[in-house]
Amino acid sequence: MQRRRGDAELPQELVLAIQRVLELDPQQNVDSLDDLSNNFDPIDVLNQLFPDEASLSQFEVVQAKLAQNERELQAEIDVLHEELRRDQDPTRMQLIQEMISDLLGQMSRIREKASESEAVVRNITKDIQVLDLAKHNITLSMTTLKRLQMLVNALTQLEDQVKEKRYAEVANSLAAVKQISSSFKSYTSVHRIMQVWKRIQQIQGEIRTRLDAEFDAFYLQDPSKPFKTAHITDACAVVDVLGPDVRNQLIERYVALELKEYRRIFRASDEAGHLDNISRRFAWFRRLLTSHETEIGRVFPAEWRTGWWLFAKFVTITRDDLSMLLSKAGQSLTVQVLLETLQQTIEFELSMVKKWATPLDDILGIVASPAIHIQSMSSAFEPHLGIFVDAQDKALADMLAPHRSPKARSSHDAAPKPPTATSTPRASLSTTDEPEPVPIVLPSSTELFYFYAQSLEQCAKLSTGQALFDLCGVQKKWLKIYAEDVLSPKSKRPQPQSRRSTDLRFDTAELQQASLLVNTADYCQTTAAELEEKIKEKIDDRFKGKVTLQSERDLFMSVISAAINIQLRELESAYDGAFNAMSRVNWGAMSQVSGHSPFVDDIAQATEQVVEVIKSLVEQKKYLRNFFDKACSLVLIRFTNALVKSRPLREIGAEQLLLDLGVVKSCLMKLPGETLSTSGYTRSLTKITTRLEALLKVIVTPVDPPEGFILNYTLLIGDASFSNFQKILDLKGTSKTEQNSLLDSFLTITSTKSDLENTSFLTSLDMDPPLSLTVGSPGVSRVALPLSTTPAGAEGVFGSLTSPPLSGPPTGSSADGSIKGNDSGPKREVFSDIRRFVTFGLRRDTQPPS
């Protein structure tokens, strides 16, 4: 039934058509029986007619009303059927077609009548069109004849004015003649007009000849005889009318005459034309320009820019002379002469730019053409600035030579010592008697970058092209040499020397030297980044992409890593005796636990002493954090190695070691202090000590009953490794007989536990560790593995001892190790504040004799 209703649904277009025919408005439908949509539901209609039981009494009335509606609809349908029958009557359709044919015939006849009417109108207006064309031609002819008459009259008048040299009137007449004659260009085929055209060209040629003579007489006038400047001023107006070619020719003639004496005096072969007399050239031109502006130059119109023409031609001549002199000088050209000459040239060009308040290229472009481009005088020095770059290279070599020698490595730039009565004070800019502050970086580094700043500024003033790029290459070269030959040798590990128990356990001078290297290398790599930005700001765009100091900055970071390893080596020396004592303790003979062991106090004291020295010397917090990460790793590695070396531990010994480990952990937790501690450091320390505690807790557990001991192992260690379990038994000191029984039980129990891993942190535990570590050597990584199965990083900080990259958050990080945004503080501008290190740069970097 539902499918039949779906098939009987009316299309929407048909519903809308029925509503339009029956004039039904769906918005105003009150009777639900008139709804023609597919949503008609007879149940809803019945509910509306009989809303309750009482309404059933009206059933007959409703039935009668519905019957009446049915009869009305049937009557309406019959009427529509009758109308449709009449409309479809064949005779009526034939009548409509005949009417359409008649209408088309009438339209054709109207079209023919319109064509005939158009032809008649065209014949009537034919004569009028001819008369209009004749009128237009007559008007044009009269206008052309009037213009021709005006042109002839103006031409005759112009000839008279030229003969009488009335140039003020000639300018007006010539402008009028040129303007009128432009309209006759298309009529030059007419003989009479062609004659007039030729006459115009002849008069212009005659005017140009007369002007050449007038201006030559003006240029070569006798200063003792007065000359009518107004006459030349009027002639200039005529020149403007003749066009820019004539004007440029007259200006070039004037400029050539004015600079003729300059060519004679400053020949390159004469003494006056030598490079060291460049200032005389500029002084001569300044006098010429002053004379021009006060005398002859006032005659020329301001828009002619004759002063610019003089300067541009002077630049062309002088640049050619400078190029020849520089090439001729060759190897004999000194840096002093080159820089003095170039500086004077640049200052002269800038003075002209300032005088006219116009860029130099615009001034020189006034005489340029598509085939000729005039370059500045200072550009002639560009190919020879390699001499300046070579001089900077030599100066840097001399500056760093004392610091690169083997003798300097032990004396120069040494860690500062307190002044003594026998020490000789260094020269200083300070005039007070206060003690000299201890520098935080090597003075040679500040001297180096101070020199870089000066040479960069000087070179940028001379050239921002190839010369500046070459200077950048020289600075890169000496940054690398400074890192490799000055800083790196100081971080080389000296030959190991045996120390007696009465000797100082760590070398304070070594810690000071290492801290000074960290600060210096950090200063160098930070300032090198700012130096790179400064160079990119000044250098031409074509070189910007080639400027980089990243490799040199990486070298300084390697120096920092090596210096931190020196600090760690001294830390290891400080507590070496304490861990040796720990490895000699007979833990198996202990009967009870009575407080922490004495060697723990020695470890804590040694670590705190070393850290206090380093904290006061290292400037950047990120390197301190890196040191703390590695120091924590080193202490725990030595603790683990001593623990393994001193086996068997037994239960009481393991319990004592648990207590000692807690004290060491507490000491390491407080090592960075509140300001330098991070959540990463705390999390890593906790994770490593937790694994050591798990190891010791398994050893503390009695082997009887075996099931309990093995279950405790699986809970704390979490693996089913046969070899790892045997390591526990070896550390515990279990007898061979007990080991065999326990190993069999271990295999039986773990075979039923599928959730256990095959490896754990015990997998890489070295059961024969070295007595001491060499910081930065491959042996450290071998010992670092027992406490971590992952690479060095957050999961195992011991591995960082051998990796050059620094760990720990950078400067500006929060207490939890997260990096703050750029708004956390002002940017550290080292290179911009380079002059605050001038007191270091002016001192010699030698250590005073003690």
Side-chain angles (χ1 to χ4, degrees):
M1 182 65 181
Q2 183 68 26
R3 181 177 179 183
R4 188 177 301 169
R5 282 190 59 194
D7 295 339
E9 288 182 356
L10 298 177
Q12 183 67 19
E13 295 81 0
L14 179 58
V15 172
L16 295 176
I18 295 174
Q19 289 177 347
R20 211 166 34 246
V21 171
L22 300 179
E23 298 180 352
L24 298 177
D25 186 357
Q27 302 297 332
Q28 297 180 358
N29 265 346
V30 179
D31 192 348
S32 57
L33 294 174
D34 293 337
D35 186 9
L36 299 177
S37 67
N38 297 327
N39 299 326
F40 176 75
D41 190 355
I43 302 300
D44 293 338
V45 176
L46 291 175
N47 289 332
Q48 291 178 7
L49 295 176
F50 306 104
D52 50 26
E53 294 181 1
S55 60
L56 293 176
S57 60
Q58 303 294 328
F59 176 78
E60 295 180 357
V61 177
V62 172
Q63 185 177 19
K65 182 179 179 181
L66 292 175
Q68 179 64 25
N69 288 342
E70 182 181 2
R71 288 192 295 272
E72 291 176 355
L73 288 174
Q74 186 61 45
E76 189 173 354
I77 290 172
D78 293 341
V79 171
L80 292 174
H81 271 294
E82 182 62 25
E83 290 181 359
L84 181 61
R85 187 184 61 78
R86 287 199 308 270
D87 291 341
Q88 292 179 346
D89 188 3
T91 57
R92 182 180 176 85
M93 296 299 295
Q94 184 178 2
L95 177 61
I96 293 174
Q97 291 177 355
E98 291 176 356
M99 293 175 64
I100 292 173
S101 299
D102 292 342
L103 182 60
L104 293 175
Q106 291 180 8
M107 292 176 61
S108 299
R109 288 192 293 274
I110 291 173
R111 188 180 297 109
E112 292 174 358
K113 293 291 184 181
S115 300
E116 293 175 359
S117 300
E118 183 179 359
V120 172
V121 172
R122 190 180 297 111
N123 290 332
I124 294 174
T125 58
K126 182 178 180 181
D127 296 337
I128 298 176
Q129 291 178 352
V130 172
L131 292 175
D132 284 343
L133 181 60
K135 178 182 177 182
H136 174 73
N137 292 338
I138 291 173
T139 303
L140 181 60
S141 300
M142 292 175 63
T143 303
T144 304
L145 287 174
K146 286 182 180 180
R147 289 180 178 176
L148 182 59
Q149 183 181 6
M150 292 171 59
L151 179 61
V152 172
N153 293 337
L155 198 56
T156 303
Q157 185 180 4
L158 178 61
E159 290 175 342
D160 296 338
Q161 294 169 351
V162 169
K163 291 177 182 179
E164 299 174 3
K165 296 183 178 182
R166 293 179 294 170
Y167 291 120
E169 299 175 2
V170 168
N172 296 328
S173 300
L174 181 59
V177 167
K178 292 185 71 173
Q179 183 179 1
I180 297 173
S181 62
S182 62
S183 61
F184 289 93
K185 218 169 198 181
S186 58
Y187 302 111
T188 51
S189 58
V190 179
H191 178 69
R192 176 59 179 164
I193 294 178
M194 188 62 187
Q195 288 180 339
V196 175
W197 190 267
K198 289 181 179 181
R199 187 179 171 191
I200 294 173
Q201 302 302 320
Q202 291 173 357
I203 292 177
Q204 288 186 357
E206 182 181 351
I207 293 174
R208 187 166 180 176
T209 303
R210 287 177 177 271
L211 289 175
D212 287 342
E214 293 284 353
F215 277 96
D216 283 345
F218 175 65
Y219 296 155
L220 303 175
Q221 61 177 307
D222 188 356
S224 61
K225 297 180 180 180
F227 199 90
K228 295 181 180 180
T229 57
H231 187 68
I232 296 299
T233 303
D234 295 339
C236 291
V238 178
V239 172
D240 285 334
V241 177
L242 287 174
D245 293 338
V246 179
R247 180 181 63 205
N248 293 345
Q249 180 184 354
L250 290 174
I251 296 176
E252 288 176 355
R253 169 69 173 160
Y254 167 70
V255 171
L257 291 173
E258 290 292 299
L259 295 177
K260 181 179 179 180
E261 187 70 10
Y262 173 74
R263 288 179 178 274
R264 185 188 65 81
I265 297 174
F266 295 98
R267 284 196 296 264
S269 57
D270 295 343
E271 181 182 357
H274 290 178
L275 285 175
D276 51 359
N277 289 325
I278 189 73
S279 59
R280 294 178 58 185
R281 291 176 178 263
F282 301 147
W284 185 92
F285 181 78
R286 286 191 175 94
R287 290 194 300 270
L288 172 66
L289 191 60
T290 302
S291 174
H292 162 77
E293 292 174 347
T294 56
E295 297 176 4
I296 297 179
R298 294 186 299 173
V299 177
F300 298 111
E303 58 271 13
W304 281 24
R305 306 286 187 185
T306 51
W308 292 18
W309 280 82
L310 280 171
F311 174 71
K313 190 63 177 177
F314 172 80
V315 168
T316 302
I317 298 171
T318 307
R319 188 184 188 284
D320 293 341
D321 290 348
L322 290 175
S323 298
M324 184 178 64
L325 290 170
L326 291 170
S327 299
K328 185 178 179 181
Q331 298 295 329
S332 62
L333 182 63
T334 63
V335 179
Q336 182 178 0
V337 173
L338 176 70
L339 296 184
E340 288 180 356
T341 306
L342 179 54
Q343 188 64 33
Q344 292 176 15
T345 303
I346 293 175
E347 289 175 357
F348 173 73
E349 290 177 340
L350 291 177
S351 66
M352 294 296 106
V353 170
K354 184 177 180 181
K355 174 182 176 62
W356 287 306
T358 306
L360 183 62
D361 291 340
D362 293 348
I363 298 175
L364 299 179
I366 195 171
V367 297
S369 63
I372 302 175
H373 175 67
I374 299 179
Q375 295 180 327
S376 64
M377 292 180 291
S378 56
S379 63
F381 294 85
E382 185 79 25
H384 306 276
L385 284 177
I387 299 174
F388 168 76
V389 177
D390 294 341
Q392 302 304 302
D393 189 17
K394 185 177 183 304
L396 286 168
D398 295 340
M399 178 191 300
L400 295 182
H403 308 294
R404 298 174 64 191
S405 63
K407 192 175 184 180
R409 294 172 188 173
S410 60
S411 61
H412 290 191
D413 283 342
K417 299 179 181 179
T420 61
T422 59
S423 63
T424 303
R426 297 181 182 182
S428 174
L429 295 182
S430 177
T431 59
T432 63
D433 295 333
E434 296 179 1
E436 186 177 302
V438 177
I440 59 175
V441 298
L442 292 177
S444 57
S445 65
T446 58
E447 182 180 354
L448 175 66
F449 280 104
Y450 184 75
F451 182 85
Y452 275 12
Q454 289 181 322
S455 60
L456 177 62
E457 291 295 332
Q458 187 176 11
C459 187
K461 292 178 181 178
L462 304 179
S463 170
T464 57
Q466 185 65 43
L468 185 58
F469 183 70
D470 293 341
L471 179 65
C472 175
V474 170
Q475 293 180 342
K476 283 167 60 70
K477 165 189 169 183
W478 285 103
L479 280 177
K480 182 179 179 182
I481 291 174
Y482 187 77
E484 294 179 343
D485 294 357
V486 178
L487 297 184
S488 292
K490 300 177 188 301
S491 62
K492 301 294 184 184
R493 186 175 186 271
Q495 295 296 327
Q497 298 178 357
S498 60
R499 297 182 182 179
R500 300 188 303 271
S501 59
T502 56
D503 291 342
L504 183 65
R505 289 179 295 178
F506 64 90
D507 190 350
T508 305
E510 280 289 313
L511 290 176
Q512 292 174 343
Q513 177 78 355
S515 301
L516 196 60
L517 284 176
V518 171
N519 293 336
T520 303
D522 174 65
Y523 165 75
C524 290
Q525 70 92 14
T526 305
T527 312
E530 297 178 7
L531 175 63
E532 179 182 329
E533 294 301 320
K534 289 290 183 181
I535 296 175
K536 288 182 178 179
E537 288 177 7
K538 298 179 181 296
I539 204 166
D540 292 344
D541 292 339
R542 58 195 175 104
F543 294 108
K544 287 185 186 296
K546 302 177 183 179
V547 176
T548 176
L549 299 178
Q550 186 58 48
S551 59
E552 289 71 25
R553 295 176 62 195
D554 293 341
L555 285 176
F556 289 117
M557 295 303 296
S558 299
V559 172
I560 294 174
S561 181
I564 293 177
N565 283 339
I566 294 176
Q567 296 171 339
L568 293 172
R569 187 176 68 238
E570 293 303 318
L571 174 63
E572 184 182 8
S573 300
Y575 52 57
D576 188 61
F579 280 114
N580 288 337
M582 174 183 171
S583 63
R584 292 191 295 267
V585 174
N586 186 3
W587 303 105
M590 280 193 174
S591 58
Q592 63 179 358
V593 177
S594 58
H596 61 267
S597 303
F599 64 81
V600 175
D601 293 331
D602 295 338
I603 294 174
Q605 182 182 1
T607 305
E608 290 174 359
Q609 289 177 350
V610 173
V611 168
E612 285 302 318
V613 174
I614 295 175
K615 268 187 177 181
S616 61
L617 295 176
V618 177
E619 185 184 27
Q620 291 294 318
K621 294 181 179 179
K622 58 182 176 181
Y623 304 124
L624 286 173
R625 293 191 183 98
N626 180 262
F627 170 78
F628 292 142
D629 289 342
K630 294 183 177 182
C632 174
S633 302
L634 189 61
V635 170
L636 294 178
I637 290 173
R638 290 298 305 271
F639 189 92
T640 305
N641 291 349
L643 180 149
V644 174
K645 276 287 184 183
S646 61
R647 68 182 185 274
L649 304 180
R650 307 296 183 186
E651 287 84 354
I652 302 299
E655 190 174 351
Q656 177 65 47
L657 284 171
L658 269 174
L659 179 61
D660 294 341
L661 178 62
V663 178
V664 172
K665 177 182 178 181
S666 176
C667 172
L668 293 177
M669 194 69 74
K670 295 183 290 185
L671 190 65
E674 295 182 0
T675 58
L676 296 175
S677 180
T678 63
S679 60
Y681 174 85
T682 305
R683 186 167 52 251
S684 178
L685 173 59
T686 303
K687 184 172 184 178
I688 298 173
T689 52
T690 300
R691 290 177 174 180
L692 271 176
E693 289 170 354
L695 171 66
L696 293 172
K697 287 177 181 179
V698 173
I699 297 175
V700 168
T701 306
V703 296
D704 189 19
E707 293 78 8
F709 176 71
I710 296 172
L711 179 61
N712 196 35
Y713 172 88
T714 57
L715 292 174
L716 293 174
I717 306 301
D719 71 4
S721 173
F722 182 86
S723 59
N724 288 348
F725 184 70
Q726 190 169 18
K727 290 179 182 180
I728 293 292
L729 297 180
D730 289 342
L731 291 173
K732 189 176 180 65
T734 310
S735 63
K736 293 296 183 182
T737 305
E738 288 182 312
Q739 283 192 21
N740 294 333
S741 175
L742 288 171
L743 289 172
D744 292 340
S745 301
F746 178 78
L747 292 175
T748 304
I749 294 173
T750 55
S751 62
T752 61
K753 295 181 178 293
S754 59
D755 57 331
L756 295 177
E757 300 289 340
N758 294 325
T759 60
S760 66
F761 62 89
L762 290 179
T763 303
S764 301
L765 179 63
D766 188 1
M767 298 301 288
D768 187 22
L771 290 175
S772 62
L773 302 179
T774 301
V775 177
S777 68
V780 177
S781 59
R782 181 170 64 92
V783 189
L785 291 174
L787 299 182
S788 175
T789 58
T790 58
E795 292 294 324
V797 294
F798 295 161
S800 63
L801 287 174
T802 58
S803 58
L806 299 176
S807 63
T811 303
S813 64
S814 60
D816 60 352
S818 60
I819 306 299
K820 294 183 180 179
N822 293 334
D823 297 332
S824 60
K827 180 183 177 183
R828 182 176 180 233
E829 295 287 348
V830 181
F831 195 76
S832 60
D833 294 337
I834 190 72
R835 288 175 177 80
R836 69 186 176 92
F837 294 109
V838 67
T839 55
F840 300 121
L842 296 179
R843 293 202 302 257
R844 296 307 301 165
D845 301 334
T846 57
Q847 180 70 21
S850 57

